[in-house]
């Protein structure tokens, strides 16, 4: 579910497509065909209802959220988006919105906290520092053993 939460947040922010979400959902269901939650999501035809279900699950902690699993999935997709994004200010604005969409218990944890401030140096023209913040954030799980 952590991966689907990452995809749901990114779908809401327009960073991944519904097709990408559906592909990941199908793959997870094939890996875990006995998972009732995945089956329910597979059967849900309204993407907005599916996203609400996933967000509710995460926000209210119906099942333990594993921050590392979630973070790895989120950072992988954000890294891809960063590589494709040509406007760093636009990217920074999206990242702040992603941060606001996170479950509350993740706000102040690294690497998620970085999403809230990494674009601040752009206000004084320091693109290099902003890129450094983002690149360190993307590498967070590569450094953690």
């Amino acid at each position: 579910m952590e991966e689907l939460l990452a995809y749901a947040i990114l779908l809401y922010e327009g960073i991944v497509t519904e097709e990408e979400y559906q592909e990941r959902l199908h793959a997870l269901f094939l890996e875990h065909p006995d998972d009732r939650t995945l089956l329910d999501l597979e059967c849900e035809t309204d993407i907005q209802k599916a996203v609400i279900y996933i967000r509710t699950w995460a926000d209210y902690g119906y099942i333990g959220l594993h921050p590392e699993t979630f973070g790895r999935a989120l950072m992988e997709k954000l890294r891809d988006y960063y590589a494709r994004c040509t406007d760093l200010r636009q990217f920074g604005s999206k990242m702040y919105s992603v941060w606001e969409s996170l479950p509350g218990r993740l706000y102040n944890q690294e690497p998620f906290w970085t999403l809230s401030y990494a674009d601040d140096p752009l206000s004084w023209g320091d693109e290099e520092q902003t890129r450094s913040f983002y690149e360190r954030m993307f590498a967070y799980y590569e450094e953690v053993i």
Side-chain angles (χ1 to χ4, degrees):
M1 284 297 284
E2 287 86 351
E3 288 182 69
L4 289 181
L5 175 60
Y7 275 75
I9 290 170
L10 297 175
L11 176 64
Y12 178 78
E13 295 298 332
I15 295 172
V16 300
T17 64
E18 185 175 340
E19 292 77 29
E20 288 176 283
Y21 163 82
Q22 293 292 348
E23 285 176 15
R24 190 63 197 134
L25 172 59
H26 296 321
L28 288 170
F29 181 67
L30 290 174
E31 290 173 23
H32 308 282
D34 295 332
D35 187 316
R36 178 65 188 194
T37 302
L38 293 175
L39 175 62
D40 290 345
L41 289 168
E42 277 281 309
C43 294
E44 181 56 67
T45 58
D46 184 332
I47 190 67
Q48 290 179 327
K49 286 182 181 178
V51 168
I52 289 169
Y53 178 84
I54 294 166
R55 298 294 308 264
T56 301
W57 165 85
D59 289 341
Y60 294 102
Y62 292 127
I63 301 173
L65 176 66
H66 298 99
E68 184 174 339
T69 304
F70 169 75
R72 286 180 184 279
L74 185 71
M75 292 306 141
E76 178 183 338
K77 297 310 285 182
L78 291 179
R79 185 182 299 115
D80 293 344
Y81 181 67
Y82 177 75
R84 294 188 320 265
C85 194
T86 58
D87 183 340
L88 191 57
R89 286 189 186 279
Q90 180 184 7
F91 180 83
S93 178
K94 285 264 192 195
M95 294 307 97
Y96 189 80
S97 291
V98 167
W99 178 73
E100 289 180 312
S101 295
L102 295 174
R105 62 185 173 271
L106 298 180
Y107 277 177
N108 295 323
Q109 292 183 24
E110 286 297 344
F112 313 111
W113 176 243
T114 302
L115 294 166
S116 72
Y117 67 80
D119 67 334
D120 288 353
L122 293 177
S123 66
W124 58 86
D126 194 346
E127 183 176 312
E128 185 178 328
Q129 185 175 21
T130 292
R131 289 192 183 281
S132 173
F133 286 150
Y134 285 130
E135 289 164 13
R136 187 174 53 226
M137 178 186 74
F138 298 140
Y140 181 83
Y141 293 105
E142 296 167 8
E143 298 167 4
V144 175
I145 296 176

